[in-house]
Short mmCIF file of all heavy atoms in Angstrom, two decimals:
data_model
loop_
_atom_site.label_atom_id
_atom_site.label_comp_id
_atom_site.label_asym_id
_atom_site.label_seq_id
_atom_site.Cartn_x
_atom_site.Cartn_y
_atom_site.Cartn_z
N MET X 1 90.25 183.43 67.04
CA MET X 1 89.62 183.95 65.82
C MET X 1 89.29 185.42 66.01
O MET X 1 89.18 185.89 67.13
CB MET X 1 88.37 183.14 65.45
CG MET X 1 87.28 183.14 66.52
SD MET X 1 85.92 182.05 66.07
CE MET X 1 85.23 182.93 64.68
N ARG X 2 89.17 186.11 64.91
CA ARG X 2 88.90 187.55 64.99
C ARG X 2 87.43 187.82 64.71
O ARG X 2 86.88 187.33 63.74
CB ARG X 2 89.78 188.28 63.96
CG ARG X 2 91.24 188.02 64.20
CD ARG X 2 92.08 188.72 63.18
NE ARG X 2 92.21 190.13 63.49
CZ ARG X 2 92.73 191.02 62.64
NH1 ARG X 2 93.13 190.64 61.46
NH2 ARG X 2 92.84 192.27 62.98
N LEU X 3 86.86 188.58 65.58
CA LEU X 3 85.43 188.82 65.51
C LEU X 3 85.16 190.30 65.78
O LEU X 3 85.70 190.87 66.72
CB LEU X 3 84.76 187.96 66.59
CG LEU X 3 83.29 188.21 66.88
CD1 LEU X 3 82.44 187.78 65.70
CD2 LEU X 3 82.90 187.45 68.12
N VAL X 4 84.35 190.89 64.94
CA VAL X 4 83.98 192.29 65.15
C VAL X 4 82.49 192.43 64.87
O VAL X 4 81.98 191.85 63.92
CB VAL X 4 84.76 193.23 64.20
CG1 VAL X 4 84.14 194.62 64.18
CG2 VAL X 4 86.20 193.34 64.64
N VAL X 5 81.81 193.19 65.71
CA VAL X 5 80.43 193.55 65.40
C VAL X 5 80.42 195.04 65.08
O VAL X 5 80.93 195.84 65.86
CB VAL X 5 79.48 193.25 66.58
CG1 VAL X 5 78.07 193.70 66.23
CG2 VAL X 5 79.50 191.77 66.92
N ASP X 6 79.88 195.36 63.94
CA ASP X 6 79.73 196.76 63.56
C ASP X 6 78.53 197.31 64.33
O ASP X 6 77.37 197.10 63.96
CB ASP X 6 79.50 196.86 62.05
CG ASP X 6 79.46 198.32 61.61
OD1 ASP X 6 79.28 199.20 62.47
OD2 ASP X 6 79.59 198.56 60.40
N LEU X 7 78.82 197.97 65.43
CA LEU X 7 77.74 198.41 66.33
C LEU X 7 76.95 199.59 65.75
O LEU X 7 75.87 199.91 66.22
CB LEU X 7 78.31 198.75 67.71
CG LEU X 7 78.87 197.52 68.45
CD1 LEU X 7 79.57 197.95 69.74
CD2 LEU X 7 77.81 196.49 68.76
N ASN X 8 77.48 200.20 64.70
CA ASN X 8 76.69 201.22 64.00
C ASN X 8 75.55 200.57 63.22
O ASN X 8 74.52 201.17 62.99
CB ASN X 8 77.56 202.02 63.04
CG ASN X 8 78.54 202.88 63.79
OD1 ASN X 8 78.22 203.44 64.83
ND2 ASN X 8 79.76 202.96 63.29
N ARG X 9 75.81 199.35 62.80
CA ARG X 9 74.83 198.62 62.01
C ARG X 9 73.87 197.81 62.87
O ARG X 9 72.72 197.64 62.51
CB ARG X 9 75.61 197.64 61.12
CG ARG X 9 75.14 197.64 59.70
CD ARG X 9 75.86 196.53 59.00
NE ARG X 9 76.74 197.06 57.98
CZ ARG X 9 77.14 196.35 56.95
NH1 ARG X 9 76.78 195.09 56.82
NH2 ARG X 9 77.90 196.87 56.06
N CYS X 10 74.39 197.30 63.96
CA CYS X 10 73.61 196.42 64.84
C CYS X 10 72.34 197.12 65.31
O CYS X 10 72.38 198.24 65.77
CB CYS X 10 74.46 196.03 66.04
SG CYS X 10 73.55 195.18 67.32
N GLN X 11 71.23 196.42 65.18
CA GLN X 11 69.94 196.97 65.59
C GLN X 11 69.41 196.30 66.85
O GLN X 11 68.24 196.46 67.19
CB GLN X 11 68.91 196.80 64.47
CG GLN X 11 69.29 197.48 63.17
CD GLN X 11 69.31 199.00 63.29
OE1 GLN X 11 68.45 199.57 63.93
NE2 GLN X 11 70.30 199.63 62.70
N GLY X 12 70.24 195.47 67.48
CA GLY X 12 69.82 194.83 68.72
C GLY X 12 68.75 193.77 68.54
O GLY X 12 67.92 193.57 69.42
N TYR X 13 68.77 193.09 67.41
CA TYR X 13 67.75 192.05 67.18
C TYR X 13 67.98 190.81 68.04
O TYR X 13 67.08 189.99 68.15
CB TYR X 13 67.73 191.63 65.71
CG TYR X 13 67.25 192.71 64.78
CD1 TYR X 13 68.06 193.17 63.76
CD2 TYR X 13 65.99 193.25 64.92
CE1 TYR X 13 67.62 194.16 62.89
CE2 TYR X 13 65.54 194.24 64.06
CZ TYR X 13 66.37 194.69 63.04
OH TYR X 13 65.95 195.66 62.20
N ALA X 14 69.17 190.66 68.55
CA ALA X 14 69.50 189.59 69.51
C ALA X 14 69.53 188.18 68.95
O ALA X 14 69.64 187.22 69.69
CB ALA X 14 68.57 189.63 70.72
N GLN X 15 69.44 188.05 67.64
CA GLN X 15 69.58 186.71 67.03
C GLN X 15 70.90 186.08 67.44
O GLN X 15 70.95 184.89 67.76
CB GLN X 15 69.57 186.83 65.50
CG GLN X 15 68.36 186.26 64.86
CD GLN X 15 67.23 187.24 64.89
OE1 GLN X 15 67.09 188.00 65.85
NE2 GLN X 15 66.42 187.25 63.88
N CYS X 16 71.95 186.87 67.41
CA CYS X 16 73.27 186.34 67.73
C CYS X 16 73.33 185.84 69.17
O CYS X 16 73.93 184.81 69.46
CB CYS X 16 74.33 187.41 67.49
SG CYS X 16 74.02 188.94 68.38
N ALA X 17 72.66 186.55 70.07
CA ALA X 17 72.70 186.17 71.48
C ALA X 17 71.97 184.84 71.72
O ALA X 17 72.31 184.10 72.63
CB ALA X 17 72.10 187.27 72.34
N PHE X 18 70.98 184.54 70.87
CA PHE X 18 70.31 183.24 70.98
C PHE X 18 71.20 182.13 70.44
O PHE X 18 71.25 181.04 71.00
CB PHE X 18 69.00 183.24 70.19
CG PHE X 18 67.89 184.01 70.85
CD1 PHE X 18 67.34 185.10 70.22
CD2 PHE X 18 67.41 183.64 72.10
CE1 PHE X 18 66.32 185.83 70.82
CE2 PHE X 18 66.39 184.36 72.71
CZ PHE X 18 65.85 185.46 72.06
N LEU X 19 71.89 182.42 69.37
CA LEU X 19 72.64 181.37 68.68
C LEU X 19 74.03 181.13 69.26
O LEU X 19 74.57 180.03 69.15
CB LEU X 19 72.75 181.69 67.19
CG LEU X 19 71.41 181.59 66.45
CD1 LEU X 19 71.47 182.24 65.09
CD2 LEU X 19 70.98 180.14 66.33
N ALA X 20 74.62 182.15 69.84
CA ALA X 20 75.96 181.99 70.42
C ALA X 20 76.00 182.73 71.77
O ALA X 20 76.68 183.75 71.92
CB ALA X 20 77.01 182.53 69.46
N PRO X 21 75.27 182.22 72.75
CA PRO X 21 75.14 182.94 74.03
C PRO X 21 76.43 183.08 74.81
O PRO X 21 76.53 183.93 75.69
CB PRO X 21 74.10 182.12 74.80
CG PRO X 21 74.05 180.79 74.12
CD PRO X 21 74.48 180.98 72.71
N ASP X 22 77.44 182.26 74.48
CA ASP X 22 78.72 182.40 75.19
C ASP X 22 79.52 183.58 74.67
O ASP X 22 80.48 184.01 75.31
CB ASP X 22 79.56 181.14 75.02
CG ASP X 22 78.89 179.93 75.67
OD1 ASP X 22 78.08 180.15 76.58
OD2 ASP X 22 79.18 178.81 75.26
N VAL X 23 79.16 184.06 73.51
CA VAL X 23 79.95 185.10 72.86
C VAL X 23 79.21 186.44 72.84
O VAL X 23 79.80 187.49 73.08
CB VAL X 23 80.30 184.67 71.41
CG1 VAL X 23 81.13 185.74 70.72
CG2 VAL X 23 81.02 183.33 71.42
N PHE X 24 77.91 186.39 72.56
CA PHE X 24 77.12 187.62 72.42
C PHE X 24 76.10 187.70 73.55
O PHE X 24 75.37 186.75 73.81
CB PHE X 24 76.34 187.62 71.10
CG PHE X 24 77.21 187.47 69.89
CD1 PHE X 24 77.37 186.24 69.28
CD2 PHE X 24 77.86 188.57 69.35
CE1 PHE X 24 78.17 186.10 68.15
CE2 PHE X 24 78.66 188.44 68.23
CZ PHE X 24 78.82 187.20 67.64
N VAL X 25 76.07 188.82 74.23
CA VAL X 25 75.13 189.00 75.33
C VAL X 25 74.46 190.35 75.16
O VAL X 25 75.12 191.38 74.96
CB VAL X 25 75.88 188.97 76.69
CG1 VAL X 25 74.91 189.22 77.84
CG2 VAL X 25 76.58 187.63 76.88
N MET X 26 73.15 190.35 75.26
CA MET X 26 72.43 191.62 75.20
C MET X 26 72.49 192.25 76.58
O MET X 26 72.29 191.60 77.60
CB MET X 26 70.96 191.40 74.81
CG MET X 26 70.75 190.89 73.41
SD MET X 26 71.52 191.90 72.13
CE MET X 26 70.56 193.42 72.25
N HIS X 27 72.73 193.52 76.59
CA HIS X 27 72.79 194.27 77.83
C HIS X 27 71.66 195.27 77.77
O HIS X 27 71.74 196.25 77.03
CB HIS X 27 74.15 194.96 77.89
CG HIS X 27 74.64 195.15 79.28
ND1 HIS X 27 75.13 194.13 80.04
CD2 HIS X 27 74.70 196.26 80.05
CE1 HIS X 27 75.48 194.59 81.22
NE2 HIS X 27 75.22 195.87 81.25
N GLY X 28 70.59 194.97 78.46
CA GLY X 28 69.40 195.81 78.29
C GLY X 28 68.73 195.45 76.98
O GLY X 28 68.95 194.38 76.44
N GLU X 29 67.93 196.34 76.44
CA GLU X 29 67.14 196.03 75.25
C GLU X 29 67.94 196.11 73.96
O GLU X 29 67.70 195.38 73.02
CB GLU X 29 65.98 197.02 75.16
CG GLU X 29 65.03 196.91 76.32
CD GLU X 29 63.67 196.41 75.91
OE1 GLU X 29 63.21 196.85 74.86
OE2 GLU X 29 63.09 195.60 76.65
N GLU X 30 68.91 197.00 73.91
CA GLU X 30 69.56 197.24 72.63
C GLU X 30 71.06 197.11 72.61
O GLU X 30 71.64 196.94 71.55
CB GLU X 30 69.19 198.65 72.12
CG GLU X 30 67.76 198.69 71.63
CD GLU X 30 67.42 200.02 71.01
OE1 GLU X 30 68.30 200.89 70.91
OE2 GLU X 30 66.25 200.19 70.63
N ALA X 31 71.71 197.22 73.76
CA ALA X 31 73.17 197.22 73.75
C ALA X 31 73.71 195.79 73.69
O ALA X 31 73.35 194.94 74.51
CB ALA X 31 73.69 197.92 74.99
N LEU X 32 74.54 195.56 72.72
CA LEU X 32 75.13 194.24 72.55
C LEU X 32 76.56 194.25 73.09
O LEU X 32 77.34 195.15 72.79
CB LEU X 32 75.15 193.87 71.07
CG LEU X 32 75.83 192.55 70.74
CD1 LEU X 32 75.00 191.39 71.23
CD2 LEU X 32 76.10 192.43 69.26
N MET X 33 76.89 193.23 73.88
CA MET X 33 78.27 193.06 74.31
C MET X 33 78.75 191.74 73.72
O MET X 33 77.97 190.80 73.59
CB MET X 33 78.35 193.01 75.83
CG MET X 33 77.87 194.29 76.46
SD MET X 33 77.99 194.25 78.24
CE MET X 33 79.75 194.37 78.44
N TYR X 34 80.03 191.70 73.35
CA TYR X 34 80.53 190.46 72.76
C TYR X 34 82.00 190.29 73.07
O TYR X 34 82.67 191.24 73.50
CB TYR X 34 80.29 190.45 71.25
CG TYR X 34 81.10 191.47 70.48
CD1 TYR X 34 82.24 191.08 69.79
CD2 TYR X 34 80.72 192.80 70.45
CE1 TYR X 34 83.00 192.01 69.09
CE2 TYR X 34 81.47 193.73 69.76
CZ TYR X 34 82.60 193.33 69.08
OH TYR X 34 83.35 194.25 68.39
N ASP X 35 82.48 189.09 72.83
CA ASP X 35 83.87 188.76 73.09
C ASP X 35 84.65 188.82 71.78
O ASP X 35 84.53 187.91 70.95
CB ASP X 35 83.92 187.36 73.70
CG ASP X 35 85.34 186.89 73.95
OD1 ASP X 35 86.27 187.69 73.74
OD2 ASP X 35 85.50 185.73 74.36
N PRO X 36 85.43 189.85 71.55
CA PRO X 36 86.14 189.99 70.26
C PRO X 36 87.24 188.96 70.07
O PRO X 36 87.69 188.74 68.95
CB PRO X 36 86.70 191.41 70.31
CG PRO X 36 86.73 191.78 71.74
CD PRO X 36 85.70 190.96 72.46
N GLY X 37 87.66 188.35 71.16
CA GLY X 37 88.71 187.34 71.04
C GLY X 37 88.16 185.95 71.28
O GLY X 37 88.77 185.15 71.98
N ALA X 38 87.01 185.67 70.70
CA ALA X 38 86.34 184.39 70.93
C ALA X 38 87.23 183.22 70.53
O ALA X 38 88.05 183.33 69.61
CB ALA X 38 85.04 184.35 70.15
N ASP X 39 87.04 182.12 71.23
CA ASP X 39 87.86 180.95 70.99
C ASP X 39 87.48 180.25 69.70
O ASP X 39 86.33 180.26 69.29
CB ASP X 39 87.68 179.99 72.18
CG ASP X 39 88.74 178.93 72.18
OD1 ASP X 39 89.86 179.24 72.63
OD2 ASP X 39 88.46 177.81 71.72
N GLU X 40 88.49 179.67 69.08
CA GLU X 40 88.29 178.95 67.82
C GLU X 40 87.20 177.87 67.95
O GLU X 40 86.47 177.60 67.00
CB GLU X 40 89.63 178.32 67.41
CG GLU X 40 89.71 177.79 66.01
CD GLU X 40 89.48 178.84 64.93
OE1 GLU X 40 89.98 179.98 65.07
OE2 GLU X 40 88.80 178.51 63.94
N SER X 41 87.06 177.29 69.13
CA SER X 41 86.07 176.22 69.32
C SER X 41 84.63 176.76 69.19
O SER X 41 83.69 175.99 69.07
CB SER X 41 86.25 175.58 70.69
OG SER X 41 86.00 176.53 71.70
N GLN X 42 84.48 178.06 69.22
CA GLN X 42 83.14 178.66 69.12
C GLN X 42 82.80 179.09 67.70
O GLN X 42 81.76 179.69 67.45
CB GLN X 42 83.04 179.85 70.06
CG GLN X 42 83.09 179.40 71.52
CD GLN X 42 83.29 180.56 72.46
OE1 GLN X 42 84.16 181.41 72.25
NE2 GLN X 42 82.51 180.61 73.50
N ARG X 43 83.69 178.75 66.77
CA ARG X 43 83.53 179.23 65.40
C ARG X 43 82.17 178.85 64.80
O ARG X 43 81.54 179.66 64.12
CB ARG X 43 84.67 178.71 64.51
CG ARG X 43 84.54 179.12 63.06
CD ARG X 43 85.74 178.67 62.25
NE ARG X 43 86.95 179.41 62.58
CZ ARG X 43 87.28 180.57 62.01
NH1 ARG X 43 86.51 181.11 61.11
NH2 ARG X 43 88.39 181.17 62.35
N GLU X 44 81.74 177.61 65.02
CA GLU X 44 80.50 177.17 64.38
C GLU X 44 79.31 178.01 64.86
O GLU X 44 78.51 178.48 64.06
CB GLU X 44 80.28 175.69 64.67
CG GLU X 44 79.29 175.07 63.70
CD GLU X 44 79.10 173.60 63.97
OE1 GLU X 44 80.10 172.90 64.23
OE2 GLU X 44 77.93 173.16 63.94
N GLN X 45 79.24 178.18 66.18
CA GLN X 45 78.16 179.01 66.76
C GLN X 45 78.21 180.43 66.19
O GLN X 45 77.20 181.02 65.85
CB GLN X 45 78.38 179.16 68.27
CG GLN X 45 77.86 178.04 69.11
CD GLN X 45 77.95 178.42 70.60
OE1 GLN X 45 78.00 179.59 70.96
NE2 GLN X 45 77.96 177.42 71.44
N ILE X 46 79.42 180.96 66.13
CA ILE X 46 79.57 182.34 65.69
C ILE X 46 79.22 182.48 64.20
O ILE X 46 78.58 183.45 63.80
CB ILE X 46 81.02 182.83 65.96
CG1 ILE X 46 81.24 182.92 67.47
CG2 ILE X 46 81.29 184.17 65.29
CD1 ILE X 46 82.67 183.10 67.89
N THR X 47 79.60 181.50 63.42
CA THR X 47 79.27 181.53 62.00
C THR X 47 77.76 181.52 61.81
O THR X 47 77.21 182.25 60.98
CB THR X 47 79.91 180.32 61.28
OG1 THR X 47 81.30 180.35 61.53
CG2 THR X 47 79.66 180.37 59.79
N ARG X 48 77.07 180.71 62.62
CA ARG X 48 75.60 180.68 62.55
C ARG X 48 75.01 182.02 62.96
O ARG X 48 74.07 182.51 62.34
CB ARG X 48 75.05 179.60 63.48
CG ARG X 48 75.00 178.28 62.80
CD ARG X 48 74.10 177.32 63.57
NE ARG X 48 74.72 176.01 63.50
CZ ARG X 48 74.91 175.19 64.52
NH1 ARG X 48 74.48 175.52 65.70
NH2 ARG X 48 75.51 174.06 64.35
N ALA X 49 75.57 182.59 64.01
CA ALA X 49 75.07 183.88 64.48
C ALA X 49 75.27 184.95 63.41
O ALA X 49 74.37 185.75 63.14
CB ALA X 49 75.78 184.28 65.77
N ALA X 50 76.43 184.92 62.76
CA ALA X 50 76.73 185.92 61.72
C ALA X 50 75.75 185.76 60.56
O ALA X 50 75.25 186.75 60.00
CB ALA X 50 78.16 185.76 61.24
N ALA X 51 75.44 184.51 60.21
CA ALA X 51 74.52 184.27 59.10
C ALA X 51 73.10 184.71 59.45
O ALA X 51 72.34 185.12 58.58
CB ALA X 51 74.55 182.79 58.73
N ALA X 52 72.76 184.63 60.73
CA ALA X 52 71.40 184.94 61.15
C ALA X 52 71.18 186.44 61.38
O ALA X 52 70.04 186.89 61.45
CB ALA X 52 71.07 184.18 62.43
N CYS X 53 72.24 187.18 61.52
CA CYS X 53 72.08 188.61 61.80
C CYS X 53 71.39 189.29 60.62
O CYS X 53 71.88 189.24 59.49
CB CYS X 53 73.45 189.25 62.05
SG CYS X 53 73.31 191.03 62.28
N PRO X 54 70.25 189.93 60.86
CA PRO X 54 69.47 190.50 59.76
C PRO X 54 70.17 191.67 59.06
O PRO X 54 69.80 192.02 57.95
CB PRO X 54 68.19 190.98 60.43
CG PRO X 54 68.22 190.51 61.83
CD PRO X 54 69.61 190.10 62.16
N VAL X 55 71.14 192.27 59.72
CA VAL X 55 71.80 193.43 59.10
C VAL X 55 73.28 193.17 58.82
O VAL X 55 74.05 194.09 58.56
CB VAL X 55 71.63 194.69 59.99
CG1 VAL X 55 70.19 195.14 60.01
CG2 VAL X 55 72.13 194.45 61.40
N GLN X 56 73.68 191.91 58.87
CA GLN X 56 75.07 191.52 58.59
C GLN X 56 76.09 192.36 59.36
O GLN X 56 77.06 192.86 58.79
CB GLN X 56 75.38 191.61 57.08
CG GLN X 56 74.81 190.47 56.26
CD GLN X 56 73.41 190.79 55.78
OE1 GLN X 56 73.19 191.87 55.27
NE2 GLN X 56 72.47 189.90 55.99
N ALA X 57 75.82 192.52 60.63
CA ALA X 57 76.71 193.35 61.44
C ALA X 57 77.90 192.56 61.99
O ALA X 57 78.84 193.15 62.49
CB ALA X 57 75.93 193.98 62.59
N ILE X 58 77.82 191.24 61.92
CA ILE X 58 78.88 190.42 62.52
C ILE X 58 79.89 190.02 61.48
O ILE X 58 79.55 189.39 60.47
CB ILE X 58 78.27 189.16 63.17
CG1 ILE X 58 77.24 189.55 64.23
CG2 ILE X 58 79.37 188.30 63.79
CD1 ILE X 58 76.42 188.40 64.76
N LEU X 59 81.11 190.42 61.69
CA LEU X 59 82.18 190.11 60.74
C LEU X 59 83.15 189.14 61.40
O LEU X 59 83.67 189.40 62.47
CB LEU X 59 82.91 191.38 60.33
CG LEU X 59 82.03 192.46 59.70
CD1 LEU X 59 82.86 193.69 59.39
CD2 LEU X 59 81.37 191.95 58.43
N VAL X 60 83.38 188.04 60.72
CA VAL X 60 84.28 187.01 61.23
C VAL X 60 85.48 186.94 60.27
O VAL X 60 85.30 186.77 59.07
CB VAL X 60 83.58 185.64 61.27
CG1 VAL X 60 84.52 184.58 61.83
CG2 VAL X 60 82.31 185.72 62.08
N ASP X 61 86.66 187.11 60.82
CA ASP X 61 87.89 187.07 60.01
C ASP X 61 87.87 188.09 58.88
O ASP X 61 88.47 187.88 57.84
CB ASP X 61 88.11 185.67 59.44
CG ASP X 61 88.32 184.65 60.55
OD1 ASP X 61 88.75 185.05 61.64
OD2 ASP X 61 88.05 183.47 60.31
N GLN X 62 87.13 189.17 59.05
CA GLN X 62 87.09 190.20 58.01
C GLN X 62 87.40 191.55 58.64
O GLN X 62 86.94 192.58 58.17
CB GLN X 62 85.69 190.29 57.39
CG GLN X 62 85.29 189.03 56.68
CD GLN X 62 83.81 189.06 56.32
OE1 GLN X 62 83.04 189.82 56.89
NE2 GLN X 62 83.43 188.23 55.39
N VAL X 63 88.17 191.50 59.69
CA VAL X 63 88.41 192.71 60.46
C VAL X 63 89.11 193.77 59.61
O VAL X 63 88.82 194.95 59.69
CB VAL X 63 89.21 192.38 61.73
CG1 VAL X 63 89.50 193.63 62.52
CG2 VAL X 63 88.42 191.39 62.57
N ASP X 64 90.01 193.32 58.75
CA ASP X 64 90.73 194.28 57.90
C ASP X 64 89.77 195.02 56.97
O ASP X 64 89.89 196.21 56.76
CB ASP X 64 91.80 193.57 57.07
CG ASP X 64 92.86 192.97 57.99
OD1 ASP X 64 92.95 193.41 59.15
OD2 ASP X 64 93.56 192.05 57.54
N GLN X 65 88.79 194.27 56.45
CA GLN X 65 87.81 194.90 55.56
C GLN X 65 87.00 195.94 56.31
O GLN X 65 86.71 197.00 55.79
CB GLN X 65 86.84 193.85 55.01
CG GLN X 65 87.43 193.04 53.88
CD GLN X 65 86.49 191.92 53.48
OE1 GLN X 65 85.64 191.52 54.23
NE2 GLN X 65 86.64 191.44 52.28
N LEU X 66 86.67 195.61 57.56
CA LEU X 66 85.88 196.55 58.34
C LEU X 66 86.68 197.83 58.59
O LEU X 66 86.18 198.93 58.43
CB LEU X 66 85.47 195.93 59.68
CG LEU X 66 84.66 196.86 60.56
CD1 LEU X 66 83.24 196.99 60.02
CD2 LEU X 66 84.61 196.39 61.99
N GLU X 67 87.95 197.65 58.93
CA GLU X 67 88.78 198.81 59.20
C GLU X 67 88.91 199.67 57.94
O GLU X 67 88.89 200.89 57.98
CB GLU X 67 90.15 198.38 59.71
CG GLU X 67 90.05 198.03 61.19
CD GLU X 67 91.22 197.21 61.72
OE1 GLU X 67 92.17 196.99 60.96
OE2 GLU X 67 91.15 196.81 62.89
N GLU X 68 89.01 199.00 56.81
CA GLU X 68 89.11 199.73 55.54
C GLU X 68 87.83 200.50 55.27
O GLU X 68 87.84 201.65 54.87
CB GLU X 68 89.38 198.72 54.42
CG GLU X 68 89.92 199.38 53.17
CD GLU X 68 90.24 198.30 52.14
OE1 GLU X 68 91.05 197.42 52.44
OE2 GLU X 68 89.66 198.37 51.07
N ALA X 69 86.70 199.84 55.52
CA ALA X 69 85.39 200.48 55.29
C ALA X 69 85.26 201.71 56.18
O ALA X 69 84.78 202.76 55.74
CB ALA X 69 84.27 199.50 55.58
N ARG X 70 85.72 201.59 57.41
CA ARG X 70 85.64 202.73 58.33
C ARG X 70 86.51 203.87 57.85
O ARG X 70 86.15 205.03 57.95
CB ARG X 70 86.08 202.32 59.73
CG ARG X 70 85.00 201.56 60.43
CD ARG X 70 85.25 201.55 61.92
NE ARG X 70 84.21 200.81 62.60
CZ ARG X 70 84.44 199.91 63.54
NH1 ARG X 70 85.67 199.64 63.92
NH2 ARG X 70 83.44 199.29 64.11
N ALA X 71 87.67 203.53 57.31
CA ALA X 71 88.60 204.56 56.83
C ALA X 71 87.95 205.38 55.72
O ALA X 71 88.16 206.58 55.61
CB ALA X 71 89.88 203.90 56.34
N HIS X 72 87.11 204.73 54.91
CA HIS X 72 86.45 205.44 53.82
C HIS X 72 85.33 206.35 54.32
O HIS X 72 84.99 207.32 53.67
CB HIS X 72 85.89 204.45 52.79
CG HIS X 72 86.98 203.82 51.97
ND1 HIS X 72 87.73 204.54 51.09
CD2 HIS X 72 87.44 202.56 51.93
CE1 HIS X 72 88.63 203.73 50.54
NE2 HIS X 72 88.46 202.52 51.04
N VAL X 73 84.78 205.99 55.47
CA VAL X 73 83.67 206.78 56.01
C VAL X 73 84.19 208.11 56.57
O VAL X 73 83.55 209.13 56.44
CB VAL X 73 82.95 205.98 57.13
CG1 VAL X 73 81.94 206.85 57.87
CG2 VAL X 73 82.26 204.77 56.53
N ARG X 74 85.39 208.06 57.12
CA ARG X 74 85.94 209.28 57.75
C ARG X 74 86.24 210.37 56.75
O ARG X 74 86.53 210.13 55.63
CB ARG X 74 87.23 208.93 58.49
CG ARG X 74 86.88 208.39 59.84
CD ARG X 74 88.12 208.15 60.67
NE ARG X 74 87.82 207.09 61.61
CZ ARG X 74 88.58 206.00 61.79
NH1 ARG X 74 89.70 205.84 61.13
NH2 ARG X 74 88.22 205.09 62.65
S1 SF4 R 1 71.89 189.66 65.43
FE1 SF4 R 1 72.95 191.39 64.46
S2 SF4 R 1 71.61 193.12 64.81
FE2 SF4 R 1 71.02 191.53 66.21
S3 SF4 R 1 72.09 191.97 68.10
FE3 SF4 R 1 73.31 190.52 66.93
S4 SF4 R 1 74.70 191.79 65.74
FE4 SF4 R 1 73.07 193.10 66.45
#
């Protein structure tokens, strides 16, 4: 599955790391590390994490939209 976190938006709230610890890991207080090629079997956890993110920084299967949004910012 395709997974992207918009790190410009991410505020390090760590909700995702609680809900999907195999995929999202906080590194220090604010830096988030994640697995962009997460396995399909983790979809449910990831969907929950995406829903819980207070700033909607986690995009699942919307990578094209994110790339398009970035293109408009430039
Ligand atoms: S829940 Fe959202 S804001 Fe918090 S660390 Fe995860 S992606 Fe970032």
Side-chain angles (χ1 to χ4, degrees):
M1 60 185 292
R2 301 179 78 190
L3 170 68
V4 167
V5 178
D6 184 344
L7 294 173
N8 291 321
R9 226 187 245 203
C10 171
Q11 300 293 320
Y13 293 121
Q15 248 83 325
C16 55
F18 285 118
L19 291 166
D22 295 337
V23 180
F24 303 98
V25 177
M26 294 305 294
H27 210 74
E29 297 246 320
E30 286 185 3
L32 176 70
M33 298 181 72
Y34 67 101
D35 177 5
D39 194 79
E40 192 61 40
S41 64
Q42 292 168 313
R43 178 176 289 274
E44 199 179 317
Q45 277 189 22
I46 292 168
T47 304
R48 273 196 218 132
C53 176
V55 291
Q56 284 89 48
I58 302 170
L59 302 178
V60 181
D61 297 335
Q62 297 169 341
V63 178
D64 296 340
Q65 282 174 339
L66 180 74
E67 280 163 5
E68 198 176 302
R70 282 199 180 134
H72 287 293
V73 171
R74 277 185 207 130

